[in-house]
């Protein structure tokens, strides 16, 4: 039986470089027989956490009524979580950060997940990757039983479509197949 894979594409550009890598990961995972859903976060309404802690007194229900409720349930139901973001000033984009911060409503329930990370950057060096990767890993560190399974790094790409022909495309596909 296949695993349930949830891909959270933080790319602000639909079809952007990191979003394209998500598609390749998804293609590989589907071919391997897994159930895969990709959420393009920019296309959903996810407000930032207000730190009101309404969720603490209301069994994990958030005071903010937006798409995060369904995204969070999908995160709970998934076996595998794929976090994807372009590098923004050595960190993740705001879209993905809002999702991560909003997991506070039910973070103690998110357990035993396999994590994959997809990162793209204009910079050709690994320095940008390391800082951004630590931001992504921050979520997994807080979740009981989390295991990191892989990192895909598409460096030296900036403009939409520059990922074409990049070795990261093959890596994303192969990593998806290996889930």
């Amino acid at each position: 039986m296949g695993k349930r894979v949830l891909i959270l594409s933080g790319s602000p550009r639909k079809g952007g470089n990191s979003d394209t890598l998500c598609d390749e990961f998804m293609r590989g995972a589907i071919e391997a027989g897994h159930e895969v859903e990709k959420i393009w976060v920019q296309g959903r309404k996810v407000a930032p956490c207000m730190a009101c802690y309404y969720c603490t007194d209301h069994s994990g229900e958030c005071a903010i009524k937006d798409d995060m409720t369904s995204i969070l349930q999908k995160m709970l139901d998934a076996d595998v979580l794929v976090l994807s973001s372009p590098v923004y000033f050595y960190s993740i984009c705001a879209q993905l950060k809002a999702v991560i911060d909003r997991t506070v409503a039910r973070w103690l329930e998110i357990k035993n997940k396999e994590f994959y990370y997809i990162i793209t950057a204009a910079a050709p060096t690994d320095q940008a990757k390391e800082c951004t990767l630590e931001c992504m890993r921050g979520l997994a560190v807080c979740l009981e039983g989390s295991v990191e399974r892989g990192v895909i790094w598409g460096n030296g790409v900036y403009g939409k479509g520059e990922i074409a022909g990049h070795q990261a495309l093959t890596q994303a596909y192969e990593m998806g197949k290996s889930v």
Side-chain angles (χ1 to χ4, degrees):
M1 183 173 140
K3 295 178 181 178
R4 291 169 296 180
V5 179
L6 180 63
I7 301 171
L8 296 172
S9 175
S11 178
R13 301 181 295 196
K14 191 169 193 110
N17 296 315
S18 55
D19 193 48
T20 299
L21 289 175
C22 289
D23 290 341
E24 282 302 293
F25 187 99
M26 181 169 61
R27 186 170 70 91
I30 289 170
E31 285 183 17
H34 303 292
E35 178 185 326
V36 184
E37 180 176 358
K38 182 181 92 169
I39 295 175
W40 181 53
V41 178
Q42 176 70 22
R44 302 290 181 98
K45 184 178 179 191
V46 179
C49 180
M50 300 184 304
C52 67
Y53 298 106
Y54 178 92
C55 55
T56 303
D57 298 325
H58 293 86
S59 302
E61 180 185 342
C62 185
I64 303 168
K65 305 304 177 211
D66 61 9
D67 294 333
M68 190 57 199
T69 302
S70 65
I71 293 170
L72 189 50
Q73 187 59 54
K74 291 172 191 277
M75 291 175 75
L76 286 160
D77 294 340
D79 302 304
V80 176
L81 295 174
V82 180
L83 305 181
S84 175
S85 177
V87 173
Y88 273 47
F89 296 99
Y90 291 85
S91 189
I92 61 176
C93 63
Q95 292 84 347
L96 185 62
K97 182 65 167 123
V99 169
I100 289 172
D101 288 349
R102 291 282 300 284
T103 63
V104 72
R106 298 179 68 187
W107 72 278
L108 292 172
E109 298 173 55
I110 306 173
K111 298 178 181 178
N112 304 316
K113 305 298 179 191
E114 296 177 24
F115 276 87
Y116 292 86
Y117 306 110
I118 297 174
I119 304 167
T120 58
T125 66
D126 285 354
Q127 184 180 10
K129 175 183 90 173
E130 295 306 320
C131 294
T132 305
L133 185 54
E134 285 308 307
C135 291
M136 292 177 164
R137 285 176 172 156
L139 174 62
V141 166
C142 294
L143 304 179
E144 183 180 321
S146 295
V147 178
E148 183 176 316
R149 295 286 187 214
V151 178
I152 298 155
W153 172 230
N155 62 331
V157 296
Y158 179 71
K160 185 175 180 179
E162 288 183 9
I163 198 71
H166 197 288
Q167 66 181 0
L169 286 168
T170 302
Q171 292 169 348
Y173 170 75
E174 292 298 329
M175 202 171 287
K177 277 183 72 171
S178 72
V179 167

